[in-house]
Amino acid sequence: MKQQSDFGIDYPIKRETAPQNFLKLFYPFHYSVGMAVEKHLSGSNLTRHQTVILWIIHSKGTDRNTIHRKTIERLIGEWYELGSPAISKVLRAMAEKDLNLISIKESKASAREKVIRLTKKGQATVNEMMERTEAFIALISDQLTDEEIANGMEFMSRVGAIVEGGFAGRKE
């Protein structure tokens, strides 16, 4: 049985020490793994903000294609400390002829609200992002057993559902 991991996790794993052990993994997982995945999503052509916006549209948008600007603003604001003017600047650049990744239209419900939609080039870019990043993740998966992959995916799925469900944000 393991006694301690490379990251200082104490074995055997116990519920009582899970919070401390989880925090020991925060830096390597959030920063090291997260930044490596983000780097592969970005490739050589996209800024970090452009990458996040494309990923938000793909992950949270209707049909993985369309989303309200205010939703992008709320979600990217949770990811980065980026204000409305900066978001507008990034969106405008993404809509310009040079990039042509998104279109920005007025909402049918309100002229003040904007609807962001991936262009064909934007959808192709998201597809390339995913293919490139899936290949990177496959290199990682090749180093893991089927059981490790299954357990890790189940754990991340459950934690994500709990956090996105609002539970983890409550103050006791």
Side-chain angles (χ1 to χ4, degrees):
M1 179 183 291
K2 283 187 171 183
Q3 295 303 311
Q4 192 174 52
S5 77
D6 293 340
F7 300 106
I9 302 301
D10 299 314
Y11 289 89
I13 301 294
K14 296 180 183 176
R15 179 176 297 278
E16 301 82 44
T17 58
Q20 296 88 353
N21 283 329
F22 192 91
L23 282 174
K24 291 175 185 177
L25 293 173
F26 178 74
Y27 180 84
F29 192 78
H30 180 71
Y31 288 102
S32 299
V33 175
M35 293 303 290
V37 169
E38 189 176 308
K39 178 181 172 186
H40 283 83
L41 284 170
S42 295
S44 60
N45 300 332
L46 299 171
T47 68
R48 293 178 76 199
H49 296 148
Q50 291 167 343
T51 301
V52 171
I53 288 170
L54 289 174
W55 196 249
I56 286 171
I57 295 169
H58 174 76
S59 300
K60 299 292 186 178
T62 304
D63 298 326
R64 299 185 176 271
N65 186 303
T66 306
I67 197 165
H68 285 93
R69 185 201 178 285
K70 288 194 181 297
T71 304
I72 290 174
E73 187 173 325
R74 177 178 55 81
L75 293 172
I76 201 170
E78 293 173 5
W79 201 317
Y80 296 107
E81 290 189 22
L82 201 61
S84 184
I87 293 168
S88 293
K89 184 177 178 180
V90 174
L91 290 172
R92 280 192 305 274
M94 292 173 72
E96 288 176 358
K97 282 185 183 181
D98 290 349
L99 288 178
N100 190 31
L101 297 171
I102 60 170
S103 66
I104 304 171
K105 305 282 185 201
E106 289 181 358
S107 169
K108 292 177 183 175
S110 167
R112 293 184 69 184
E113 177 60 26
K114 303 296 181 214
V115 176
I116 311 301
R117 181 178 310 250
L118 290 176
T119 61
K120 286 182 182 179
K121 183 179 177 187
Q123 185 58 58
T125 300
V126 169
N127 292 342
E128 291 167 10
M129 289 168 56
M130 292 178 64
E131 288 173 16
R132 183 174 51 246
T133 308
E134 286 172 5
F136 169 69
I137 294 170
L139 295 173
I140 297 168
S141 298
D142 288 347
Q143 304 297 310
L144 302 170
T145 66
D146 290 347
E147 182 179 15
E148 289 170 327
I149 292 168
N151 289 339
M153 296 300 284
E154 180 62 25
F155 177 78
M156 289 189 304
S157 177
R158 291 280 297 127
V159 169
I162 291 167
V163 172
E164 285 193 359
F167 175 78
R170 282 191 273 166
K171 294 189 179 183
E172 305 271 329

